[in-house]
Amino acid sequence: MIKGKYKAAFIILKGVGRELTDDGWEFTDNSGFHQDTLTDIKDFLGDYVSELPNSVDKNQLKVEVFQLDDGLIESIYIRDYTSNMSYIEKIKGLLENNSQLELFVP
């Protein structure tokens, strides 16, 4: 079981509204995005519903995908338990030049 301090981040569409509610972060005006737009991220994280690749320590990273009713992805929630946020930094670098997605770190 993963325990300890972590840094949270979300992969979302650029320009999507965000609001902190009693239930957590909610993203408004979100039309969602296809998994196809996440090639580099998916290669890094592995398949979201199966095992993560050996290069990712499952004890230091948690990934959760939130889907819309039509199957598109609303957001990807990431918890990085490393002391230097190495996974979040890597994902930030992968998204740096992405025209559709951004990494939101509250």
Side-chain angles (χ1 to χ4, degrees):
M1 177 174 218
I2 300 173
K3 293 183 179 179
K5 293 182 179 184
Y6 64 89
K7 185 69 176 171
F10 296 87
I11 298 173
I12 58 175
L13 279 174
K14 281 188 177 174
V16 167
R18 37 200 110 162
E19 180 181 353
L20 183 58
T21 69
D22 291 340
D23 295 326
W25 283 99
E26 292 189 12
F27 303 104
T28 58
D29 305 323
N30 194 345
S31 58
F33 56 92
H34 292 278
Q35 284 190 5
D36 295 350
T37 61
L38 293 173
T39 305
D40 291 338
I41 303 298
K42 191 171 181 180
D43 288 347
F44 176 66
L45 296 176
D47 192 321
Y48 303 118
V49 293
S50 67
E51 282 189 49
L52 295 171
N54 293 335
S55 62
V56 176
D57 183 343
K58 291 184 235 177
N59 292 317
Q60 294 188 339
L61 180 70
K62 180 174 171 143
V63 177
E64 196 172 346
V65 177
F66 294 98
Q67 290 187 300
L68 300 168
D69 291 337
D70 59 6
L72 294 176
I73 298 171
E74 175 190 36
S75 65
I76 299 175
Y77 176 54
I78 300 160
R79 282 194 224 170
D80 185 341
Y81 290 87
T82 62
S83 59
N84 61 356
M85 297 190 313
S86 59
Y87 293 120
I88 287 178
E89 289 302 316
K90 171 73 171 168
I91 294 166
K92 183 189 282 185
L94 293 172
L95 288 174
E96 217 168 50
N97 297 317
N98 190 298
S99 62
Q100 296 178 340
L101 303 175
E102 68 176 288
L103 186 68
F104 168 56
V105 182

